[in-house]
């Protein structure tokens, strides 16, 4: 059985509202990344797995992926978003998770629904002592 979503924070496309003024300094809707490509935050999902481990999914959209951006071109962006955005945001929100999954897609997609037109890249990190440890999925 799929794990139960315990919390969903949805963000609209560019121009959408952030979840409160307290997070504005930590969570930018359009953060700068090492690749220099434009991205925007689609949503953050929390879920608890059957083994009681907690996961935070930071889902981003990078439209340039549909124009041929390869994983190797944006590989550094994933760690940057984990350590520079996810970890500080989780601390600000008082959220404790075991894993952070950063995803980037060429378009907005619905979580858990197959979209054969979308190209998506993922990286998973264990969160320990305020840092991100790459899991190499």
């Amino acid at each position: 059985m799929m794990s139960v979503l315990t919390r969903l924070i949805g963000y609209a496309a560019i121009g959408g509202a952030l979840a409160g003024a307290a997070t504005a300094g930590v969570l930018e809707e359009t953060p700068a990344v090492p690749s220099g490509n434009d991205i925007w935050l689609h949503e953050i999902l929390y879920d608890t797995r059957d083994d009681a481990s907690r996961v935070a999914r930071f889902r981003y959209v990078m439209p340039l992926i549909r124009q041929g951006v390869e994983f190797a071109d944006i590989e550094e962006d994933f760690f940057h978003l984990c350590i520079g955005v996810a970890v500080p945001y989780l601390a600000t929100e008082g959220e404790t998770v075991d894993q952070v999954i950063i995803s980037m897609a060429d378009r907005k997609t619905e979580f858990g629904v197959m979209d054969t037109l979308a190209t998506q890249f993922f990286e998973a990190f264990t969160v320990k002592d305020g840092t991100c440890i790459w899991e190499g999925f």
Side-chain angles (χ1 to χ4, degrees), residues 18-33:
L18 290 175
T23 62
V26 175
L27 186 65
E28 294 180 29
E29 190 173 340
T30 56
V33 289

Side-chain angles (χ1 to χ4, degrees), residues 61-123:
V61 173
M62 181 184 289
L64 280 177
I65 291 172
R66 77 178 63 118
Q67 295 176 10
V69 170
E70 299 288 333
F71 180 81
D73 301 326
I74 61 173
E75 187 173 0
E76 292 179 32
D77 295 352
F78 292 92
F79 181 76
H80 175 82
L81 290 168
C82 185
I83 195 70
V85 177
V87 168
Y89 176 76
L90 294 167
T92 298
E93 293 297 302
E95 292 284 350
T96 302
V97 299
D98 301 292
Q99 184 182 54
V100 167
I101 298 175
I102 306 288
S103 66
M104 283 190 234
D106 66 342
R107 66 195 74 216
K108 189 174 167 182
T109 61
E110 185 177 342
F111 180 74
V113 176
M114 183 182 283
D115 183 341
T116 58
L117 298 177
T119 300
Q120 300 182 67
F121 300 118
F122 302 86
E123 281 291 0

Side-chain angles (χ1 to χ4, degrees), residues 1-20:
M1 180 172 202
M2 289 188 62
S3 58
V4 178
L5 286 183
T6 57
R7 186 170 168 196
L8 166 66
I9 301 174
Y11 291 89
I14 297 172
L18 290 175

